[in-house]
Amino acid sequence: MLGFLLARQAGLDDPLRLRRAESTRRVLGLELNKDRDVERIHGNGINTLDIEPIEARYMLSGGSDGVIVLYDLENSSRQPYYTCKAVCSVGRNHPDVHKYSVETVQWYPHDTGMFTSSSFDKTLKVWDTNTLQTADVFSFEETVYSHHMSPVATKHCLVAVGTRGPKVQLCDLKSGSCSHILQVMFAGHRQEILAVSWSPRCEYVLATASADSRVKLWDVRRASGCLITVDQHNGKKSQAVESANTAHNGKVNGLCFTSDGLHLLTVGTDNRMRLWNSSNGENTLELYSGSRDCNILAWVPSLSEPVPDDDETTTKSQLNPAFEDAWSSSDEEG
């Protein structure tokens, strides 16, 4: 690290390289918290976790046994060593419990009074946290792999759902119906949708990852739908024809946006993680070693402040024309 600091002081290194080195050092130095434990409720593997964004106090977990558990992460005992207790759970004896493995749980982004869960039993359930009863249930023809609610949406209440089929379905929490299907001939996915994620920068932009090795960005307002299909080769001809316009050399298991929405991180069964420019789909060529069994990503904010929307370094020529409109304030002005 001293070498990085000296090189930066002498002006020999880009500041971004120093930031990445420090981020990497901190990540590699992570270890399990020896002072805190979590009460064990699940009888089998845990597939998904989500901490509510309001107070960062309550955590949901969903297991392969179909059970959902709500934990209180606060140290109410005031002791240096403590165990986070389960507040309540949707156990096997609950009338609304999922029949099969729970694949995704997510808090409602603006209120802890509601959360959602999806399962291999082909359902997406909306839960009332206070009563622990289902407020709504969406049923699908295919197995559900993933779902996501926008963290910034103010004009819609859509939940994107990825299923075993090549279609992304949008469920409207207001009307209680599956309002739209993102499947465009020649532009849609060819295999199951393994992960979905809304952009934190524009409430109408959705990213999808599929077993067909492709990652796509969509504008759900547009009839044409698909904005970008990212390409690991950045448009250059690849040696293998089948790898053209693909994000990974294998299934794409997970994806998430950075906190500022400017980049997209993906992970695949090719044991690689890649970072993409979300405005034009360009591969930044930042390559990380991943894991074949990894299918969940969560972005850890960078050490520096996010780039503001009006940053002078972000010019219109760098943005996809569709994003210039989607990410402007014109919607609010109209």
Side-chain angles (χ1 to χ4, degrees), residues 68 98 102 104-105 115-119 123-125 127 147:
I68 299 173
H98 283 289
V102 176
T104 308
V105 291
F115 67 90
T116 56
S117 64
S118 57
S119 166
T123 64
L124 166 70
K125 296 186 177 183
W127 299 85
H147 78 269

Side-chain angles (χ1 to χ4, degrees), residues 3 17 19 39 55 76 89 91 95 123 125 139 160 165 167 170-171 180 229 239 245 249 299 307:
R17 188 162 181 254
R19 190 180 71 186
E39 183 180 4
E55 300 178 77
S76 57
S89 65
T123 64
K125 296 186 177 183
S139 298
K167 301 177 292 186
L170 301 181
C171 301
H180 189 47
T229 299
Q239 295 179 352
N245 293 322
N249 297 319
W299 183 257
V307 179

Side-chain angles (χ1 to χ4, degrees), residues 72-212:
D72 186 350
L73 303 180
E74 188 174 86
N75 181 9
S76 57
S77 67
R78 307 302 178 187
Q79 299 297 319
Y81 304 97
Y82 67 101
T83 299
C84 300
K85 296 294 183 180
V87 177
C88 55
S89 65
V90 181
R92 295 309 308 171
N93 295 326
H94 194 286
D96 297 323
V97 67
H98 283 289
K99 295 180 180 179
Y100 305 121
S101 173
V102 176
E103 293 302 298
T104 308
V105 291
Q106 185 187 5
W107 288 100
Y108 182 62
H110 310 295
D111 187 0
T112 57
M114 185 175 75
F115 67 90
T116 56
S117 64
S118 57
S119 166
F120 273 4
D121 63 9
K122 303 179 182 179
T123 64
L124 166 70
K125 296 186 177 183
V126 182
W127 299 85
D128 184 322
T129 309
N130 298 314
T131 63
L132 218 61
Q133 302 295 320
T134 53
D136 208 346
V137 178
F138 296 88
S139 298
F140 304 90
E141 297 179 358
E142 304 279 358
T143 300
V144 178
Y145 288 117
S146 175
H147 78 269
H148 192 237
M149 288 182 288
S150 171
V152 296
T154 59
K155 298 184 179 180
H156 70 75
C157 291
L158 298 176
V159 182
V161 181
T163 67
R164 191 172 183 177
K167 301 177 292 186
V168 180
Q169 304 205 39
L170 301 181
C171 301
D172 192 342
L173 295 182
K174 287 184 177 180
S175 65
S177 65
C178 293
S179 61
H180 189 47
I181 296 177
L182 287 179
Q183 185 185 33
V184 183
M185 192 62 67
F186 306 119
H189 289 291
R190 300 174 184 175
Q191 297 183 40
E192 58 264 36
I193 309 298
L194 300 179
V196 294
S197 181
W198 291 97
S199 167
R201 189 174 178 85
C202 174
E203 63 181 279
Y204 296 107
V205 173
L206 175 70
T208 60
S210 171
D212 63 7

Side-chain angles (χ1 to χ4, degrees), residues 223-261:
S224 57
C226 185
L227 293 171
I228 298 171
T229 299
V230 303
D231 181 10
Q232 60 180 307
H233 306 291
N234 283 336
K236 298 179 181 178
K237 292 184 178 180
S238 61
Q239 295 179 352
V241 177
E242 60 271 14
S243 68
N245 293 322
T246 59
H248 289 267
N249 297 319
K251 298 179 180 180
V252 187
N253 283 354
L255 79 170
C256 72
F257 283 93
T258 56
S259 55
D260 56 14

